[in-house]
Amino acid sequence: MIQAKVRPLSNQEIMAINDEIYNRFWRKYRDSIAGNDEAWENVKTQMGQLLNKYQYHSMVLHQLQDYLDQLEWRYMEGRKQNG
């Protein structure tokens, strides 16, 4: 189990986290993940990079986990449809 770290963040840090996780991570994969093995591997790699970059901060960990749940569902549904 990953242990999240908590520390106060500045407004700029929060803005940067949200920009990177939503605008660059989520939007990059949200429509291209369905059954795409290469994209799924890239998601896992990029998620690890983001966790390391932000030192496993709880805000980052929770946001990424929520998006990962959605991406995983879409990935698996695409695999089912493609047989």
Side-chain angles (χ1 to χ4, degrees), residues 2-4 51 56-66:
I2 296 173
Q3 181 64 36
L51 287 169
Y56 289 81
H57 192 280
S58 62
M59 175 181 276
V60 173
L61 182 63
H62 294 293
Q63 284 184 21
L64 283 173
Q65 185 61 57
D66 290 342

Side-chain angles (χ1 to χ4, degrees), residues 29-47:
Y29 296 110
R30 67 183 180 184
D31 297 322
S32 65
I33 194 72
N36 183 334
D37 293 336
E38 183 178 349
W40 181 244
E41 290 304 315
N42 290 339
V43 161
K44 294 186 291 184
T45 298
Q46 190 170 358
M47 183 177 170

Side-chain angles (χ1 to χ4, degrees), residues 8-45:
L9 297 169
S10 69
N11 290 340
Q12 288 295 88
E13 288 174 306
I14 291 171
M15 188 172 71
I17 288 168
N18 287 328
D19 178 59
E20 191 154 20
I21 293 174
Y22 178 78
N23 290 327
R24 298 186 203 162
F25 178 76
W26 170 251
R27 292 177 70 187
K28 180 177 183 177
Y29 296 110
R30 67 183 180 184
D31 297 322
S32 65
I33 194 72
N36 183 334
D37 293 336
E38 183 178 349
W40 181 244
E41 290 304 315
N42 290 339
V43 161
K44 294 186 291 184
T45 298

